[in-house]
Amino acid sequence: MSKFVLATGLVAVVSLGACAKHSGKTETVHAEPIMEPVYVEPVATKKY
């Protein structure tokens, strides 16, 4: 039973590795950073 589990795991790892290797190149998308919004602190017009 232990050898069967080991063999099944080995086949799964090898098949996943082969699929990942042959999946081809994917286009990487570079995201530009979002500029921070300009924040102005409120100024009190009335003095208490």
Side-chain angles (χ1 to χ4, degrees):
M1 182 71 178
S2 177
K3 290 181 182 180
F4 177 73
V5 173
L6 182 63
T8 305
L10 182 62
V11 168
V13 169
V14 169
S15 64
L16 287 174
C19 290
K21 183 179 179 183
H22 295 296
S23 65
K25 292 184 179 179
T26 58
E27 183 179 335
T28 54
V29 178
H30 296 285
E32 300 208 6
I34 300 172
M35 295 182 65
E36 293 183 20
V38 177
Y39 177 74
V40 179
E41 292 188 17
V43 178
T45 56
K46 296 181 182 177
K47 294 191 177 184
Y48 296 101

